[in-house]
Amino acid sequence: MTTYLEANKQRFLDELLELLRIPSVSADSKFKGDVRRAAEFVREKLTAAGLDKAQLYETPGHPVVYAEKIVDPARPTVLVYGHYDVQPADPYELWQSPPFEPTIRNERIYARGACDDKGQFYMHIKAIEAMVATDGLPCNVKVMIEGEEEVGSDHLGTFVAEHRDMLKADVILISDTSIISNETPSLETGLRGLSYVEVEVTGPNRDLHSGVYGGGVANPINVLCEMIASLHDENGRITIPGFYDNVADLSEAERNELAKAPFDLDEYKKDLGINDVMGEAGYSTNERTSIRPTLDVNGIWGGYTGEGAKTVLPSKASAKISMRLVPNQTPEEITDLFTKHFRAIAPAGVTVKVMPHHGGLPYVTPTDSVEFEAASKAFEDAWGKKPIPTRGGGSIPIVALFERELGIKSILMGFGLDSDALHSPNESYGLFNFYKGIETIPYFYKNYAALKQ
Amino acid sequence: MTTYLEANKQRFLDELLELLRIPSVSADSKFKGDVRRAAEFVREKLTAAGLDKAQLYETPGHPVVYAEKIVDPARPTVLVYGHYDVQPADPYELWQSPPFEPTIRNERIYARGACDDKGQFYMHIKAIEAMVATDGLPCNVKVMIEGEEEVGSDHLGTFVAEHRDMLKADVILISDTSIISNETPSLETGLRGLSYVEVEVTGPNRDLHSGVYGGGVANPINVLCEMIASLHDENGRITIPGFYDNVADLSEAERNELAKAPFDLDEYKKDLGINDVMGEAGYSTNERTSIRPTLDVNGIWGGYTGEGAKTVLPSKASAKISMRLVPNQTPEEITDLFTKHFRAIAPAGVTVKVMPHHGGLPYVTPTDSVEFEAASKAFEDAWGKKPIPTRGGGSIPIVALFERELGIKSILMGFGLDSDALHSPNESYGLFNFYKGIETIPYFYKNYAALKQ
């Protein structure tokens, strides 16, 4: 195994770089063709890795790529999930090297999707290739790589429901999360859910001269700002009635357990270039970004945003707002509460539209399972260290869906770092993490097969 | 005179349409060449109208066009001021016909600048042409048409200071304001001043994943919204310390005088498509838009504003904010108060930049002067009605500057309507107003010459 990995190192990297050159941005329809090219690329590589039945499954959106290798029906089956689509790359001007021209700098791969999730799911394809090519697969393996994760996996739910038998497995293995550091491996035991809405505030039926009408009619931008500002109170708590009703509070013991994860606030602030952190009173930064729900404006626009000064009182103002959810909140519930509240606080003189984008359920994975043990041991085998259990702040909506539709738990065996700048300009993935992941994954199969006997 | 105007009606209109086809947007550098073309056009027409010394005067920005006709040094001199530059035309998609392809629909000229200010200053050139071609000019006339009014007339101050002798006059005549309606002519006796700033709020040094960091660090958009929201209190008053200190409150008598202007709130709301008006408690809509200072966000932007959903916690958020000023506020004072206050309310976790754009002083014109009488009588002569004195909400910063630099008062003899959609898509100017203006202006010269004897 080690020899094989060593011998093929450069090719593994070259293949990933080839995949990273495809701008498979699922959110923007003008990249539709590129998204499909990425899917084709994945299908080829699955076949090349020695998997059977590799093919594209059409959906109303972007296709799902699937392949499998059943070595022995008696052995446990691992279902690998990942996504070949990426976040939009703008603002382009902030990239030191073009987002879709992967560049290696100081031992890191810089490109949109380098870590999220091309770099991470591709480790699995290469790990499988290595197992097939050397000692053989200890477990049956099924691989499902989708193209709509960054836009809410809208069609994967139907796909999964329609292919329950094909996707039957004992565990789902996902690398789309991060570790604490290259010195301190960790395993995420939970994810936040997501409710994402777009709002539009309309005042006058046309843009107005701010001199002739200014002061006399509601300005949609000022109103939108007031409405958004009112969504948090002075303690950083969200003011939407009922928002916290279903939030599962952690016990002191659980909070103490999470608090064990090494965290350096000064380092954190220094990395982000901020003089202070901000958030819900009564919780640590780690808690605010993992076990507590949030509300963030992801985008806002309205009026004149060009060069110079235009004295306009605009007709409309809009914002994209997302809420991260924790157990036991549901996107349906929260989106509904948000919509009702946002409409309710709209002052006279404006009308408000709320358009839900996509959502996802929060998820918690049990740490006392054979699957978690196999993953934990895999890190010990490859890193010589027991991974620390953490709770992640991000969302992989599909994980909760898998549990509901397939009754299978997911293991979040991610190898990225929070500093990889996911969703940001200059996203990167460490060569160390890429290779170390490929090395760690086969241990999971080995351990899992052994533990399931 | 009447015969001449009748005989040349169509040509007057055709010439205006030709001018309106030139996209002389002063705020956007990509239109620099077009702005110059508009200046050249004006110079030619001034010569054609029978004026002398028509030429372009270069400035660090766009050129000033000037021409004059001294018929008799003993007679009073009228200085006509206008601007050939226009506001940006976006959003283009909201125009029923392209902004720079003037179209006549139901007796109105639709085009950017149709009223503000091409349609209005061009009436003067045609009125002068008619006087010269018929009974001759009753007064000496000087015409100064600038190209930077929509961006704050940054360089006109220097130009005026450097050409005091050339610009020496007894009164300045400006058509860049509106009348109450075509049935109710009015003369504006005051204008609001302007302070225009651009603000930028910076949080983390890069765009962040809203899942990984959301809830833990200040989101610049949320913070900007909170800061903007805090600039008004629940009574619609501006909260900037000292903002109202120099505001000259009107006497009950003055307020009652202004209240005489016909105003139909239902019509107003219907025209704007709003279910209610909004503004400072204790003042009427007309007062809120004329004798009271305001603060409006003219543009806001930050984060992801493209198609679909991007879960980003952006590094920066920005806004363009303008304040309309009334006597005796000054742009310097207010911009300074705003900057200090906005910096002061910035929470930890963000840094704030405030960049002043341009400003202008408010202005009040005396209604007991010979000049006002000549203008008032001109309306009576042409419209058969005495014009109602009103206070305008817009700003013509240069008017206050003229008084300071040249010691000359301005007469605001505008012929537009508030419904002309200045600064908005589908700006228009009535053919009635265009022709009626050309008819009214010569009466001013006649009356003024008579009154000054």
Side-chain angles (χ1 to χ4, degrees), chain A residues 224-257:
Chain A
L224 177 59
C225 288
E226 285 157 25
M227 292 172 75
I228 288 169
S230 77
L231 297 175
H232 285 93
D233 69 14
E234 64 285 1
N235 295 318
R237 281 178 68 86
I238 293 150
T239 57
I240 298 167
F243 186 85
Y244 292 97
D245 288 1
N246 297 327
V247 170
D249 288 313
L250 272 67
S251 67
E252 272 315 306
E254 289 173 299
R255 290 179 69 179
N256 294 337
E257 187 53 40

Side-chain angles (χ1 to χ4, degrees), chain A residues 195-199 331 335-336 339 343 353-359:
Chain A
S195 165
Y196 198 115
V197 296
E198 189 161 322
V199 299
T335 302
D336 183 53
T339 306
R343 290 209 184 108
K353 250 197 272 174
V354 180
M355 297 146 280
H357 268 296
H358 65 276

Side-chain angles (χ1 to χ4, degrees), chain A residues 20-64:
Chain A
L20 290 171
R21 281 187 199 100
I22 307 173
S24 49
V25 179
S26 51
D28 192 338
S29 47
K30 74 169 179 288
F31 293 103
K32 201 169 188 312
D34 298 304
V35 176
R36 188 168 193 90
R37 273 205 297 133
E40 292 290 357
F41 179 95
V42 174
R43 185 181 54 70
E44 285 163 28
K45 298 305 180 189
L46 287 170
T47 304
L51 294 173
D52 307 324
K53 307 182 185 171
Q55 76 172 80
L56 268 56
Y57 288 80
E58 299 305 331
T59 76
H62 303 300
V64 177

Side-chain angles (χ1 to χ4, degrees), chain A residues 367-424:
Chain A
T367 53
D368 55 5
S369 64
V370 181
E371 289 73 23
F372 191 82
E373 191 186 341
S376 183
K377 233 184 131 304
F379 270 103
E380 277 187 81
D381 298 338
W383 301 57
K385 282 181 189 169
K386 218 177 166 43
I388 294 175
T390 60
R391 286 277 292 267
S395 308
I396 312 179
I398 207 64
V399 169
L401 184 139
F402 288 149
E403 183 165 27
R404 200 171 64 240
E405 291 291 337
L406 304 172
I408 320 174
K409 284 282 185 184
S410 295
I411 292 296
L412 305 170
M413 198 185 212
F415 297 93
L417 297 174
D418 284 352
S419 55
D420 289 344
L422 311 188
H423 296 202
S424 310

Side-chain angles (χ1 to χ4, degrees), chain A residues 87 192 196 205 207 210-211 216 219 271-272 275 278 296-298 300 302 304 306 308 310 312 320 324 349 423-424, chain B residues 87 192 196 205 207 210-211 216 219 271-272 275 278 296-298 300 302 304 306 308 310 312 320 324 349 424:
Chain A
Q87 279 275 320
R192 291 196 283 191
Y196 198 115
N205 53 15
D207 286 2
S210 71
N219 178 324
D271 170 49
L272 300 177
N275 63 356
M278 202 188 207
D296 272 298
V297 182
N298 303 111
I300 191 166
Y304 183 68
K310 184 171 188 236
V312 64
K320 293 176 193 269
R324 296 284 169 174
H423 296 202
S424 310
Chain B
Q87 279 275 319
R192 292 197 284 191
Y196 198 115
N205 53 17
D207 286 2
S210 72
N219 178 326
D271 170 49
L272 299 176
N275 62 356
M278 202 189 206
D296 273 296
V297 182
N298 302 110
I300 191 165
Y304 183 68
K310 184 170 188 237
V312 64
K320 293 176 192 271
R324 296 284 169 173
S424 310

Side-chain angles (χ1 to χ4, degrees), chain B residues 47 125 303 351:
Chain B
T47 305
I125 301 184
T351 55

Side-chain angles (χ1 to χ4, degrees), chain B residues 109-319:
Chain B
I109 308 159
Y110 286 86
R112 165 59 78 233
C115 174
D116 179 14
D117 180 45
K118 289 174 174 175
Q120 292 221 60
F121 83 73
Y122 204 67
M123 298 181 308
H124 287 269
I125 301 184
K126 295 300 103 178
I128 291 166
E129 172 195 316
M131 289 187 275
V132 172
T134 56
D135 321 333
L137 283 166
C139 310
N140 303 308
V141 60
K142 299 178 173 182
V143 180
M144 167 173 59
I145 312 295
E146 73 153 317
E148 297 185 300
E149 197 272 344
E150 299 295 3
V151 288
S153 305
D154 285 346
H155 306 104
L156 195 61
T158 322
F159 173 81
V160 169
E162 288 171 354
H163 299 84
R164 281 211 181 74
D165 292 342
M166 178 174 89
L167 299 173
K168 214 164 163 313
D170 298 281
V171 64
I172 296 168
L173 189 58
I174 302 175
S175 295
D176 196 14
T177 52
S178 55
I179 52 175
I180 291 169
S181 77
N182 289 352
E183 295 65 47
T184 316
S186 55
L187 264 169
E188 292 205 356
T189 63
L191 291 165
R192 292 197 284 191
L194 183 71
S195 163
Y196 198 115
V197 297
E198 187 163 324
V199 299
E200 182 184 77
V201 174
T202 304
N205 53 17
R206 61 181 186 271
D207 286 2
L208 302 174
H209 186 298
S210 72
V212 178
Y213 292 91
V217 303
N219 178 326
I221 301 179
N222 291 72
V223 169
L224 177 59
C225 288
E226 285 157 27
M227 292 172 75
I228 287 171
S230 77
L231 296 176
H232 286 92
D233 68 15
E234 64 287 0
N235 296 317
R237 280 178 69 85
I238 293 149
T239 57
I240 298 167
F243 186 84
Y244 292 97
D245 288 0
N246 296 328
V247 171
D249 289 312
L250 271 68
S251 67
E252 272 315 304
E254 290 172 300
R255 290 179 69 177
N256 294 337
E257 189 51 41
L258 287 175
K260 287 187 183 147
F263 177 74
D264 182 330
L265 186 58
D266 293 329
E267 264 311 305
Y268 187 83
K269 289 192 282 187
K270 191 156 153 294
D271 170 49
L272 299 176
I274 52 177
N275 62 356
D276 204 355
V277 293
M278 202 189 206
E280 186 180 2
Y283 294 92
S284 72
T285 296
N286 268 341
E287 290 175 328
R288 289 165 173 172
T289 57
S290 62
I291 62 167
R292 299 299 298 171
T294 66
L295 184 150
D296 273 296
V297 182
N298 302 110
I300 191 165
W301 64 100
Y304 183 68
T305 59
E307 187 187 343
K310 184 170 188 237
T311 51
V312 64
L313 195 162
S315 170
K316 290 179 188 300
S318 303

